[in-house]
Structure formats: structure tokens, C-alpha cells
Amino acid sequence: VYSYVMEDAHNETLTADELGALFKVSARTVWRWVVKGTCPVAPLRIGRTVRFSRHTAEQVMQGRNDV
């Protein structure tokens, strides 16, 4: 359910709190989506942390499904 990536300056990521703020839901709701497998932005594991791609989140917010 997680993707493994290396973080770099060109791959800006969001925390669950930040993603929740973008989608106007709580971080708890974001984690529920992750557990259910319905999160609109795939979680990315970076070391021991989990982040979400800002680029993908913005594409989802614009209504693009081809991300």
C-alpha cells in the first residue's frame, strides 16, 4: 500500500495534517483513507515516515484522474 521513494528538493511532500488541510478533512480522516485503501493520494514511505506527493494532491484537487 506504500510506495518507497527517495526524497529530494524536486519532490515536495506533505504530511497527513497538510494533506488533510488541502482536502479540508482531518489528519485522522486521511489515515482512515490510507487504511481503507481509498486515499486519493498514494502514501509514500520515506525512511520511517509517511508522506504524500504535493504534485499528485494538486492534480487530484484539479480533478485530473490521470496522475
Side-chain angles (χ1 to χ4, degrees):
V1 79
Y2 296 105
S3 297
Y4 289 85
V5 298
M6 292 182 60
E7 187 173 25
D8 61 31
H10 302 293
N11 186 20
E12 189 174 352
T13 59
L14 304 170
T15 64
D17 285 327
E18 293 166 335
L19 184 65
L22 188 63
F23 282 97
K24 297 186 170 118
V25 299
S26 69
R28 184 174 171 106
T29 296
V30 171
W31 290 117
R32 283 188 195 122
W33 290 344
V34 169
V35 169
K36 286 180 162 182
T38 60
C39 188
V41 181
L44 307 169
R45 184 170 295 277
I46 302 170
R48 294 180 58 177
T49 63
V50 176
R51 297 287 190 263
F52 303 86
S53 166
R54 175 179 294 279
H55 174 75
T56 303
E58 289 171 351
Q59 295 297 316
V60 169
M61 291 298 292
Q62 292 175 4
R64 293 189 56 194
N65 295 324
D66 60 341
V67 291

